[in-house]
Amino acid sequence: MKNIFIINGHQKYPFSEGKLNASLTKKAETYFKSNGYNIKKTTMEDNYNVNEEIEKFKWADVVFFQTPLNWMGVSWSFKKYIDEVFSMGMMGEMSDGDGRSKEAPKKNYGLGGKLNGNYMMSVTANAPKEAFNNPEETFFNGMSEDDLLKPMHLNFKWFGFEPLPTFVAYDVMKNPEIENDFNRFENHLKANF
């Protein structure tokens, strides 16, 4: 049996209540529960204890996090969570500082991770799928979804986690295809777990 830590990183706004992120988080929980995973959860709307969150990361074989794409990154409450939990975790619980040593102070930056396991990002975005991986679309200029999410990938790499393929629900405000997204999401989970 594997341990999975599920994080819902949505921040509520008057124009975005987080129903889709909550639904995808619930679908992930249902999927993992039906496949025998032990589950722990955190939602950005909940109060949390930094030390307890560190223990969840240490416990997890897989970290699954659901987040909206807010201004090309995660929500401010999720960023605050990362600043609090990851900063405290790098003091020996989740990594040995930044990975460098006194003997080699110029080498191995970011490679002090003490955790093993995988992580998966699931993202809701207002951008259409066609905005990515296309150099003719000049805003992203050919960037992929994972290129845009590189800071989050590096955050997890810092602690020793390996990535699983990212899921993206596209164009969720202007041209939503929710049922199709739900079907793609279920297939994505089945293909990777």
Side-chain angles (χ1 to χ4, degrees), residues 1-4 32 35-39 59-62 118 192-193:
M1 203 177 288
K2 286 193 171 187
N3 298 330
I4 188 157
F32 291 120
N35 283 282
Y37 283 76
N38 299 309
I39 298 170
W59 168 86
D61 297 307
V62 177
N118 297 101
N192 292 286
F193 295 100

Side-chain angles (χ1 to χ4, degrees), residues 8-28:
N8 181 350
H10 188 268
Q11 171 68 40
K12 289 184 181 176
Y13 295 99
F15 58 87
S16 178
E17 297 177 32
K19 292 178 184 175
L20 180 56
N21 282 282
S23 294
L24 289 167
T25 301
K26 185 64 179 168
K27 286 183 176 299

Side-chain angles (χ1 to χ4, degrees), residues 147-159:
D147 291 336
L148 185 61
L149 296 165
K150 189 68 169 179
M152 287 304 299
H153 285 294
L154 289 172
N155 288 338
F156 280 87
K157 184 177 182 178
W158 182 282
F159 297 108

